[in-house]
Every structure is written in structure tokens, then in C-alpha cells.
């Protein structure tokens, strides 16, 4: 009987009932032992191995070991084959879900592109493939949505890509301010007023807790603080696209582009209301073009991220490039981010004492978060990686002030701005943005960190501008890409559950993704520091007459 004031019913029972259950269990076990005795079931004997007196014992053991290795390799190969077959089935399911009436020519065109790109993936530099896919997305789109992180909108704009869209002909460019719930409302309104003078701008907050279409989990997990089911700005973006389609009088294709980790795939999933595109904490999950039909007249195209130019500032490389940790090392990348942030607000946010330099801050943060090395000292590199992952993730609130005076971008002119505005109902867009800002529950100004933006981030859109990689880097990247291709779907679904069950934070996961070369460099630097610190007196201080136990 469930008691009225308690949440759960009591598990207490009478002694008579408990003893009765125990008696039934004993009788059941006795019955099973009797049946096993009748069948003549015997315990399996333990393998004693090869006796020492047997001839060629070493050869026999070696053959047994080789046989065991072959069986393990065969099992691993079968597992990989099963994963590939599952991926093919998933792709067939997604393709069958597309309506064949209007999507047949689009599917044929992009299907051929995907097969060609997969065949070339092993030979070409992946960055060059990203450039090719990005160009195809821009060429195939009538409207291009450039997704910006509301915490640093100016740093998420790429002048080279915007110039290519303007030169592409009759294409519309729309800015989407995503992650708008991580900045104060006043700052969001200031950025909206600044950006809408140049291009149509939509305030958006993507839903990050959508169910996967193919994988339905029975266990209901509680969403974390950064997992939100509410999508804000969806109606405004829908009305904007539908109005433009009605004005053109034909079906349109909408491309979604932007720098890594700004939420491009999350916006598509929010518009579709299901998890179709892969999303995750790690940067650069989307590698090829993916066509998603929103309705019979509007098709949305997801593409890879922009390639960041190595000529940018260290802060821009640390925030916008997935390979920034490989190039800059974690200490340098996190130090570059920390140098642009308000030190007083960083102290309050991370609850650490005042610090004089970045090394002291990472030491205090490691002690605060319990990040220790083998000997007990603070793990400074781990703390730097933690700061980098939180800053580029979707949970930390920080903001940038827009420029004091508005000036037209150098790759735009007044005629271009007028062409971009034409065809959209800007009055209705302004009302929808005002309604979205009211609906957003943004953080207070005092609880956010003031960050100094580094301005527009230069990108690479031409394949010839991409620097060639060393052969070792190519081999390492190829190995990681092959592994990620097999486990992308599994990681996207089980990422949150594994992080919670094992107690490993997203920062620790990204710390494991570090290349082996950087880890070797850190270890060698430590060894050199220890050896260099030993003087000749300390080296000769050992007394051979004393027996150390």
C-alpha cells in the first residue's frame, strides 16, 4: 500500500511472507540441481596447459598465441564490417524518408557528389575537401544563413566567404544570432541593432535536446544545464524563408554555413524538430554536404565549417579552429583567450583567487577543480584544456561590446546592402526578433564575462591557399578520421551518458583527443626541466658507504 505522504510505496512485508518466499526459492534451486544431476551435466575441467615434459612446448605455445591473435583480429574485422553495414542502412533510411516528388533531382546530384568525395577522401587533404563542399553549398543555395555565436558575432563573420556569396549572383545572405541565451539581453539588442543595418539578422536559440530519429533510447536521462528543449526564433526564421519563397514563386534551397561550434547542425535539427544532423561537443563534426527537406518547397543544406586562416590572431585561432590545440598547444591557446577576458570577472566566475599571469590562473584552477598529476602537483595543461573547452562550448556565458560607431564592411557597398534586404519582410522580422528577445531568459550582466573581440576572422575558401601538411600529420589525421567515421553516430548519442556515468567532463574528453606528438613534447619538456635542475653537488651527494633501504 502506498502511504499518502511518501513518494514510494514501502517494501516492508510480514515475516510469514518473507519466509514463504525463501522456502520457494530453496525448493526451486533443489529442483534445478536434481534435473542437472539426471542429465549428467558435469563441470568443465580446467585446462592444465602444455606439460613441461612435452617436446616442442615453446613452439606449441607460440602457435596457440598466434591462433588467439588471429581470432581477435577476425572479431575486430567483423565488428567493423557490422558498423559499416549499419551506417549504410541508416543512410538508406534517411534517403527513403525524403519525398521523391521534388527531391529526386537534388538527391541524384548530391548523391554523386558524396560518392566522389568519399573516393577522393583518402588521397586529398581534408581541408581542401571542406573548401570544395563549402563552394558547392554556396553555389546550390538561393539563401545562405551565416550562423554567428551571439557571444562574439563579429569574430564569427568571415569576409572572404561573404564576398564569395556576393559575387555568386542573385543570392541572399542572412545572419543568424545563435546561442542568444548566453548573453545579457541589453548586449543582444545592441548587437541586433548593429548587424541589421547591413544584413537581415534573426535572433535564434537552438534546441539541443532533440530525440534521434533512428535511435530511440528507453532510459530517460535528465537533461544537463546546457540541454534545452525550448527553441526560440524558429517562427521568425520560418516566416522569413516562406515569405521569400512566395515572392520568388518557386522552391528554394537554403544553405547553412559558419565557423566550427557555432550551432549550424543544431539550427537544422531545431527547424526539423528531430535529430537528423550530428551534433556534439567536439568541433568540426559536419564534414560533407547534407540535404534536409523542411517541406515540399524549402530544402536546407548543411555544410562543413569554414577553414580558418593561420594568419589570424592567436585568440581567433584558439576560438574558431578545431586544430588550434595542435598548432598553438593548450597553454598558448588558453592564455590567448584569457588575455582578452576581464580578469576580475574571470576570478568571480571560476571562484579562484586573484592571479598575476595565466600560469598562476591555471595552477589555481587545477587546484580548484581537482586536476592533479601523478606526483600530486597541479595539472596545468589539463586546466588550460578545461578553460579552452568551456570557452568554446555552449554553457559559459560571456559577451563582447559592438563597435562604438557603425561602418560598412569593406566587402559590401550600399547597392549590395539594398540587394540583400530586398525580398524580405523586415518589419515582420523586427517584431519576431523583439518577441524572441522577450522570451529568452538570458543571464545577468554581472554573471557574464566581458570579452574583447579580435574582429573579423579571415578564412580560406580557395584550395590553393591551404598550406601542405607533413606526411606524419597526414597519417595521423587519416587514422583519426577513419576512426571517427565509424563511431560518429555512436558518439553523438552516447556522449552525454558516458560523460555522466564515468564522471569525465567534456574538457577531459577533448584532452584525450590531443595528438600524441603534443603529449610527447610536454613529457620531454618536463624531463628536461628535472634534469636541468639537478646540479653537480646534488648528483655527487650520494654516499656509497651508507646502505639506503
Amino acid at each position: 500500500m502506498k502511504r499518502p505522504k511518501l513518494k514510494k510505496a514501502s517494501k516492508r512485508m510480514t515475516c510469514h511472507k518473507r519466509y514463504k518466499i525463501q522456502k520457494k526459492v530453496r525448493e526451486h534451486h533443489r529442483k534445478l540441481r536434481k534435473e542437472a544431476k539426471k542429465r549428467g551435466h558435469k563441470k568443465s575441467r580446467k585446462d592444465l596447459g602444455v606439460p613441461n615434459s612435452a617436446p616442442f612446448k615453446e613452439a606449441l605455445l607460440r602457435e596457440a598465441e598466434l591462433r588467439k591473435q588471429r581470432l581477435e583480429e577476425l572479431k575486430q574485422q567483423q565488428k567493423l564490417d557490422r558498423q559499416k553495414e549499419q551506417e549504410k542502412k541508416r543512410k538508406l533510411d534517411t534517403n527513403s524518408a525524403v519525398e521523391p516528388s521534388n527531391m529526386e533531382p537534388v538527391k541524384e546530384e548530391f548523391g554523386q557528389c558524396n560518392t566522389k568525395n568519399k573516393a577522393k577522401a583518402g588521397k586529398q587533404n581534408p581541408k581542401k575537401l571542406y573548401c570544395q563542399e563549402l563552394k558547392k553549398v554556396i553555389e546550390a543555395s538561393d539563401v545562405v544563413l551565416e550562423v554567428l555565436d551571439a557571444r562574439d558575432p563579429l569574430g564569427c563573420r568571415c569576409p572572404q566567404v561573404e564576398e564569395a556569396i556576393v559575387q555568386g549572383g542573385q543570392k541572399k545572405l542572412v545572419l543568424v544570432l545563435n546561442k542568444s541565451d548566453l548573453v545579457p539581453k541589453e548586449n543582444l539588442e545592441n548587437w541586433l541593432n548593429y548587424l541589421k543595418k547591413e544584413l537581415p539578422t534573426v535572433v535564434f536559440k537552438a534546441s539541443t535536446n532533440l530525440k534521434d530519429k533512428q535511435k530511440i533510447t528507453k532510459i530517460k536521462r535528465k537533461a544537463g544545464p546546457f540541454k534545452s528543449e525550448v527553441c526560440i526564433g524558429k517562427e521568425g526564421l520560418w516566416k522569413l524563408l516562406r515569405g521569400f519563397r512566395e515572392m520568388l514563386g518557386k522552391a528554394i534551397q537554403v544553405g547553412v554555413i559558419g565557423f566550427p561550434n557555432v550551432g549550424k547542425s543544431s539550427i537544422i535539427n531545431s527547424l526539423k524538430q528531430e535529430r537528423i544532423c550530428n551534433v556534439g561537443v567536439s568541433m568540426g563534426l559536419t564534414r560533407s554536404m547534407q540535404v534536409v527537406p523542411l517541406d515540399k518547397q524549402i530544402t536546407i543544406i548543411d555544410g562543413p565549417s569554414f577553414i580558418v586562416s593561420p594568419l589570424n590572431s592567436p585568440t581567433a585561432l584558439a576560438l574558431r579552429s578545431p586544430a588550434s590545440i595542435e598548432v598553438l598547444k593548450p597553454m598558448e591557446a588558453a592564455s590567448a583567450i584569457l588575455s582578452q577576458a576581464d580578469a576580475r570577472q574571470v576570478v568571480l566566475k571560476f571562484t579562484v583567487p586573484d592571479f598575476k599571469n595565466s600560469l598562476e590562473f591555471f595552477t589555481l584552477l587545477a587546484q580548484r577543480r581537482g586536476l592533479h598529476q601523478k606526483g600530486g602537483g597541479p595539472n596545468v595543461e589539463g586546466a588550460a584544456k578545461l578553460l579552452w573547452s568551456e570557452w568554446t562550448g555552449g554553457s559559459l556565458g560571456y559577451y563582447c561590446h559592438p563597435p562604438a560607431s557603425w561602418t560598412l564592411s569593406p566587402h559590401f557597398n550600399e547597392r549590395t546592402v539594398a540587394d540583400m534586404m530586398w525580398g524580405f519582410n523586415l518589419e515582420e522580422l523586427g517584431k519576431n526578433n523583439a518577441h524572441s528577445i522577450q522570451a529568452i531568459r538570458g543571464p545577468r550582466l554581472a554573471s557574464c564575462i566581458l570579452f574583447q573581440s579580435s574582429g573579423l576572422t579571415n578564412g580560406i575558401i580557395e584550395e590553393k591557399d591551404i598550406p601542405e601538411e607533413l606526411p606524419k600529420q597526414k597519417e595521423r589525421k587519416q587514422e583519426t578520421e577513419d576512426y571517427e567515421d565509424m563511431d560518429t553516430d555512436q558518439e553523438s548519442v552516447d556522449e552525454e551518458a558516458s560523460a555522466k556515468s564515468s564522471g569525465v567532463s567534456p574538457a577531459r574528453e577533448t584532452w584525450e583527443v590531443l595528438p600524441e606528438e603534443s603529449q610527447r613534447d610536454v613529457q620531454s619538456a618536463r624531463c628536461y626541466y628535472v634534469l636541468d635542475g639537478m646540479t653537480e653537488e646534488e648528483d655527487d651527494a650520494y654516499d656509497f658507504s651508507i646502505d639506503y633501504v
Side-chain angles (χ1 to χ4, degrees), residues 422 524 538:
W422 181 82
S524 62
E538 293 172 347

Side-chain angles (χ1 to χ4, degrees), residues 345-503:
Q345 292 174 342
V346 169
V347 165
L348 294 173
K349 187 70 177 179
F350 291 95
T351 60
V352 294
D354 292 332
F355 57 93
K356 296 179 182 178
N357 51 32
S358 59
L359 183 62
E360 185 181 357
F361 171 76
F362 296 140
T363 306
L364 295 170
L365 183 62
Q367 292 171 351
R368 176 72 180 172
R369 298 292 179 92
L371 302 174
H372 300 292
Q373 290 178 349
K374 210 168 186 179
N379 189 356
V380 181
E381 287 86 357
K385 199 75 176 66
L386 176 66
L387 177 73
W388 179 83
S389 64
E390 287 194 6
W391 212 277
T392 55
S395 57
L396 184 67
Y398 67 90
Y399 66 97
C400 303
H401 286 307
S405 59
W406 180 81
T407 53
L408 193 65
S409 299
H411 53 280
F412 283 147
N413 53 38
E414 294 181 358
R415 184 179 176 183
T416 306
V417 172
D419 290 341
M420 292 295 175
M421 298 287 186
W422 181 82
F424 294 114
N425 191 349
L426 299 179
E427 293 181 5
E428 188 179 10
L429 178 61
K431 292 178 183 178
N432 292 326
N433 284 335
H435 180 70
S436 300
I437 292 173
Q438 288 179 357
I440 290 172
R441 297 177 62 183
R444 292 180 291 107
L445 195 67
S447 63
C448 290
I449 301 172
L450 178 61
F451 186 74
Q452 187 177 357
S453 177
S454 55
L456 297 172
T457 305
N458 295 317
I460 299 175
I461 198 169
E462 295 295 334
E463 301 168 31
K464 60 183 180 181
D465 298 333
I466 296 174
E468 293 295 330
E469 295 181 343
L470 296 173
K472 289 184 179 179
Q473 293 178 349
K474 286 183 181 179
E475 290 175 5
R476 188 161 55 244
K477 281 193 176 183
Q478 187 64 32
E479 289 175 2
T480 53
E481 282 171 11
D482 293 341
Y483 177 75
E484 287 176 2
D485 284 337
M486 292 184 290
D487 295 339
T488 311
D489 296 330
Q490 188 66 25
E491 284 176 0
S492 62
V493 175
D494 297 331
E495 191 173 16
E496 302 301 330
S498 63
K500 290 178 183 177
S501 62
S502 61

Side-chain angles (χ1 to χ4, degrees), residues 260-272:
N261 223 15
V262 293
K264 302 182 292 297
S265 300
S266 297
I267 288 176
I268 297 173
N269 293 340
S270 301
L271 291 173
K272 191 68 177 173

Side-chain angles (χ1 to χ4, degrees), residues 314-346:
T315 309
L317 287 173
L319 290 173
R320 308 289 165 225
S321 175
S324 60
I325 291 299
E326 299 175 16
V327 177
L328 293 174
K329 308 283 181 67
M331 288 289 293
E332 295 182 18
S335 300
I337 295 172
L338 195 64
S339 64
Q340 301 296 321
D342 186 68
R344 187 66 185 165
Q345 292 174 342
V346 169

